[in-house]
Amino acid sequence: MRHPLVPLGALAGAAALLAAGCAPGPAPVTGQPRAAASPAAAAPVVAKDPAQVGANELGQVPVLMYHQLTEKPASVYDRTPADFRAELERLAREGYVPVTARDFQTGRIDIPAGAHPVVLTFDDSTNSQVRLGADGAPAPDTALAILEQTAKEHPAFKPAATFFVNADGFSATGSAKALTWLKEHGYEVANHTGRHENLRTLDQAGAARAISAGQQAIEKAAPGTRVTSLALPFGAMPEPAGVAVRGTGYRYDGVYLVGANPSVSPFARSFTPGAIPRIRSAGPKDEDAEFGSSRWLDKLAAGKNRYVSDGNPETVAFPRALAGELAPAFAKRARPY
């Protein structure tokens, strides 16, 4: 499905509402649950002097968006398994460490000094993303298998991601089995509405029902799942925007757009948790490539605005010249240099 590209700031009013309320094929991956509840926190990190690593925890963070993996892409939202594997390899080489949307939007970014957070998000709960084999392990060439294998080959690259699911998703495996596997292995299961409804076309009550239906489907399939993130189908914000944040039976810390650019830091004064932009995964010559991941990763690598961790999740380190960009809520954690 074609989604509109929504530049950062186009829906900034949602912030006030929220405040008010290419490697070889993958080797087999075990189906046994990991002991750690959060893969991003599986290994301790070591803090360093912020100046030593050029820390900038007010910098930009790429929130990448994926849909379907297929050998024959039919839309700008499709990528081949080889494309996906190559992008993960690039992220690992360039010092990115995945964190979930849940941890990103609440500022729980626990990664090594000098590393950069990246948020990997998957929409529509397709079988190309998650499909379990008879042995209970991720099937080869699924996004899940490729991500797990990349993490094995690059130990600093944690297997963390957020799956924005619809009701009855991952049909080849079954929603209950797939969501339970994700939950037990430290991935985030998040809401994408019950039937992928365009919330902008619905009245307030209808939008709330669509969101609530997705929430209820997750809770039924994987009881005990704490759902704190929502991705808007088609990037379409409901009217009023506050419906996306809170309603009967749901309340979200982060609401995600389709987007066309990186997100600002969750510690920045300009961070808008009710309208977080994402970047479509795309090659450097694909349609609308200027809005895609390859071009944006190039820009982030070449510039000075990328988020760089100091390795201490309890502080917010940044060059002193950026002090005016810090959100007042994080003043006590500030570590300017």
Side-chain angles (χ1 to χ4, degrees), residues 68-153:
Q68 179 86 349
L69 296 190
T70 174
E71 293 293 350
K72 297 181 179 181
S75 126
V76 294
Y77 291 93
D78 294 344
R79 301 229 71 190
T80 69
D83 289 336
F84 180 63
R85 185 176 289 110
E87 184 151 272
L88 294 190
E89 290 283 345
R90 174 181 181 173
L91 292 168
R93 288 195 309 270
E94 295 185 3
Y96 284 94
V97 177
V99 299
T100 62
R102 175 176 53 219
D103 287 345
F104 167 67
Q105 66 210 16
T106 53
R108 293 192 294 267
I109 301 177
D110 194 355
I111 62 176
H116 321 292
V118 61
V119 186
L120 307 176
T121 67
F122 298 85
D123 289 11
D124 301 350
S125 44
T126 68
N127 293 326
S128 68
Q129 297 167 8
V130 177
R131 188 174 73 257
L132 303 180
D135 60 353
D141 274 349
T142 58
L144 189 57
I146 294 169
L147 175 54
E148 291 267 333
Q149 182 61 23
T150 303
K152 282 189 173 183
E153 295 169 356

Side-chain angles (χ1 to χ4, degrees), residues 37-232:
S38 173
V45 297
V46 179
K48 293 185 179 181
D49 178 77
Q52 180 183 350
V53 295
N56 180 13
E57 294 177 327
L58 292 177
Q60 294 179 315
V61 178
V63 182
L64 303 185
M65 178 181 67
Y66 303 93
H67 288 74
Q68 179 86 349
L69 296 190
T70 174
E71 293 293 350
K72 297 181 179 181
S75 126
V76 294
Y77 291 93
D78 294 344
R79 301 229 71 190
T80 69
D83 289 336
F84 180 63
R85 185 176 289 110
E87 184 151 272
L88 294 190
E89 290 283 345
R90 174 181 181 173
L91 292 168
R93 288 195 309 270
E94 295 185 3
Y96 284 94
V97 177
V99 299
T100 62
R102 175 176 53 219
D103 287 345
F104 167 67
Q105 66 210 16
T106 53
R108 293 192 294 267
I109 301 177
D110 194 355
I111 62 176
H116 321 292
V118 61
V119 186
L120 307 176
T121 67
F122 298 85
D123 289 11
D124 301 350
S125 44
T126 68
N127 293 326
S128 68
Q129 297 167 8
V130 177
R131 188 174 73 257
L132 303 180
D135 60 353
D141 274 349
T142 58
L144 189 57
I146 294 169
L147 175 54
E148 291 267 333
Q149 182 61 23
T150 303
K152 282 189 173 183
E153 295 169 356
H154 302 273
F157 192 80
K158 303 302 180 184
T162 296
F163 291 85
F164 288 110
V165 303
N166 305 115
D168 303 321
F170 307 125
S171 60
T173 300
S175 183
K177 184 176 180 180
L179 268 56
T180 298
W181 194 100
L182 291 171
K183 177 185 173 184
E184 290 180 347
H185 287 77
Y187 291 96
E188 180 184 7
V189 176
N191 193 2
H192 199 39
T193 75
R195 300 295 174 189
H196 205 276
E197 294 93 333
N198 184 329
L199 301 180
R200 181 62 66 82
T201 66
L202 304 175
D203 62 17
Q204 180 173 346
R209 283 195 298 270
I211 296 169
S212 181
Q215 176 87 19
Q216 292 172 12
I218 293 170
E219 293 172 348
K220 179 180 179 181
T225 301
R226 183 168 171 261
V227 186
T228 63
S229 310
L230 170 73
L232 301 170

